[in-house]
């Protein structure tokens, strides 16, 4: 399996920005698709963004389109989630995920421990 370690969460005022990082280790050749999910208390888990490690094709949820961007640094085995214009409804635990298959309908079998994002205001 792939091990995923997130960082970069924190507290920010509405309108602010944060960048989440996810470093992968272990069987990194199994990373075909990586992405981010989030889950707020009492709400369903939501897929936020994905990126194909080979294809480079990215996709972001409509709820964050125009504000969030996913990118990767292959040399560092790291995926990033740049979050701009944050709103209180973005408050959630954010999880990095990895799948050994293409992003469309991917079965994410590796999950990070999560990093908390809290937006006030």
């Amino acid at each position: 399996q792939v091990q995923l370690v997130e960082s970069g969460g924190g507290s920010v005022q509405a309108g602010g920005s944060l960048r989440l990082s996810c470093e992968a280790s272990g069987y990194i050749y199994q990373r075909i698709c990586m992405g981010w999910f989030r889950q707020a208390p009492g709400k369903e888990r939501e897929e936020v963004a994905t990126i194909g490690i080979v294809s480079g094709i990215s996709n972001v949820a409509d709820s964050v389109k125009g504000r969030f961007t996913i990118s990767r640094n292959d040399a560092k085995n790291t995926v990033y989630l740049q979050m701009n214009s944050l709103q209180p409804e973005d408050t959630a635990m954010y999880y990095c995920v990895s799948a050994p298959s293409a992003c469309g309908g991917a079965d994410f079998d590796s999950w990070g421990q999560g990093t908390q994002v809290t937006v006030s205001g």
Side-chain angles (χ1 to χ4, degrees), residues 79-90:
V79 171
Y80 304 97
L81 185 67
Q82 178 67 44
M83 306 185 294
N84 299 327
S85 301
L86 282 161
Q87 300 301 316
E89 53 265 35
D90 295 316

Side-chain angles (χ1 to χ4, degrees), residues 37-40 43-47 95 111:
F37 279 72
R38 67 184 181 184
Q39 188 164 24
K43 293 188 177 181
E44 291 189 359
R45 189 171 59 196
E46 177 186 20
E47 181 180 300
Y95 297 92
W111 290 71

